[in-house]
């Protein structure tokens, strides 16, 4: 069965960096687009970034463009999110999600909490 | 950017009753709409994609309809496990793929 396991969250000071990982199993990772979606405490869902199956295409929400980088290693079935210049507004649970046939999210990880605080 | 608006924010329903949740897109998204269910402390779960296709393992009491800018998620005969927050999401053409703000279905 499909499994997505995020790691790398934690408490970080404003302006610092953090790198999230998502280990995928149970499907052919190299043939699906992947996303990061976040949820601030007590708030709704917010799409963050997408990467194509081969890594050739990336897109980001405006508020993270230029600060976050999504990448993947298909040889290791792993998705990444490099987050730089973090602010308090980036505090959230970050989920990795697998694309379905189109860009809806048919499987989700359990999430990893990122807290940006001094 | 396409903005998704859900209504109502909260819906109070008795167990065994029915619920109708609405989602409106600011521009036409054809049928490129998904619905998710989220319970406290859990990741969201895909319920519906393509506006009306149930995801694998989703009970038939969940149904979706609509196209263009107006969409509906209907839950018939609510079970205890259905009380949760429901989000719609568009995936029309290019990002950003916006979510609605959510509808909480609570026990009446």
């Amino acid at each position: 069965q499909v499994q997505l396991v995020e790691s790398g969250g934690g408490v970080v000071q404003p302006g610092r960096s953090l790198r999230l990982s998502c280990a995928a199993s149970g499907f052919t990772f190299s043939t699906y687009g992947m996303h990061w979606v976040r949820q601030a405490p007590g708030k709704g869902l917010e799409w963050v970034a997408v990467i194509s199956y081969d890594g050739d295409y990336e897109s980001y929400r405006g508020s993270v463009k230029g600060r976050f980088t999504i990448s993947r290693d298909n040889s290791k079935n792993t998705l990444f999110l490099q987050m730089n210049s973090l602010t308090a507004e980036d505090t959230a649970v970050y989920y990795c999600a697998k694309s379905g046939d189109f860009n809806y999210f048919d499987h989700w990880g359990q999430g990893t909490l990122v807290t940006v605080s001094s | 950017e396409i903005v998704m608006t859900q209504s109502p924010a909260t819906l109070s329903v008795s167990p065994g009753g029915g619920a109708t949740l609405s989602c409106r897109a600011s521009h036409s998204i054809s049928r490129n709409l998904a619905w998710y269910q989220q319970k406290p402390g859990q990741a969201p779960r895909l319920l519906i994609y393509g506006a009306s296709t149930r995801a694998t393992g989703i009970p038939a009491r969940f149904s979706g309809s609509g196209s263009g800018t107006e969409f509906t998620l209907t839950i018939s005969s609510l079970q205890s496990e259905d009380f949760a927050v429901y989000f719609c999401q568009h995936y029309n053409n290019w990002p950003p793929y916006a979510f609605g703000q959510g509808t909480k279905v609570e026990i009446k």
Side-chain angles (χ1 to χ4, degrees):
Chain A
Q1 72 283 18
V2 173
Q3 273 202 307
L4 299 169
V5 179
E6 301 95 336
S7 60
V11 180
V12 60
Q13 293 179 328
R16 303 300 291 265
S17 299
L18 208 58
R19 189 194 199 201
L20 305 183
S21 300
C22 171
S25 61
F27 67 104
T28 306
F29 181 71
S30 61
T31 63
Y32 287 93
M34 295 293 295
H35 302 255
W36 288 98
V37 177
R38 69 185 180 184
Q39 187 169 36
K43 302 297 185 182
L45 299 168
E46 187 173 80
W47 174 83
V48 174
V50 60
I51 188 167
S52 61
Y53 69 98
D54 58 1
D56 281 354
Y57 170 80
E58 304 164 23
S59 184
Y60 303 87
R61 70 176 302 104
S63 61
V64 309
K65 202 172 295 185
R67 299 189 300 123
F68 289 13
T69 302
I70 189 171
S71 61
R72 65 191 297 159
D73 184 341
N74 284 346
S75 69
K76 296 182 178 178
N77 291 348
T78 305
L79 176 73
F80 302 100
L81 185 67
Q82 177 67 43
M83 304 185 294
N84 298 333
S85 302
L86 285 161
T87 73
E89 287 66 43
D90 297 316
T91 293
V93 174
Y94 284 74
Y95 296 101
C96 70
K98 171 184 168 291
S99 271
D101 294 335
F102 297 96
N103 285 303
Y104 55 87
F105 315 119
D106 64 358
H107 290 88
W108 298 64
Q110 85 287 352
T112 188
L113 176 61
V114 173
T115 303
V116 183
S117 174
S118 54
Chain B
E1 285 189 23
I2 296 173
V3 176
M4 308 301 293
T5 303
Q6 290 185 242
S7 62
T10 303
L11 193 57
S12 298
V13 183
S14 300
T20 301
L21 288 66
S22 296
C23 177
R24 174 176 293 177
S26 60
H27 300 84
S28 176
I29 57 170
S30 185
R31 294 178 61 81
N32 296 315
L33 184 100
W35 289 95
Y36 303 86
Q37 176 193 69
Q38 188 179 33
K39 298 178 182 179
Q42 296 185 17
R45 176 176 71 147
L46 176 67
L47 297 176
I48 300 282
Y49 61 94
S52 62
T53 303
R54 278 188 300 277
T56 302
I58 301 303
R61 64 180 180 273
F62 292 91
S63 63
S65 64
S67 66
T69 62
E70 301 285 343
F71 300 87
T72 299
L73 175 69
T74 302
I75 314 171
S76 62
S77 187
L78 266 92
Q79 308 296 302
S80 57
E81 62 267 28
D82 301 334
F83 292 96
V85 180
Y86 293 84
F87 295 94
C88 63
Q89 175 239 338
H90 90 80
Y91 52 94
N92 194 61
N93 293 331
W94 307 110
Y97 302 118
F99 291 89
Q101 75 276 29
T103 292
K104 181 180 180 180
V105 178
E106 64 177 22
I107 300 174
K108 187 173 183 180

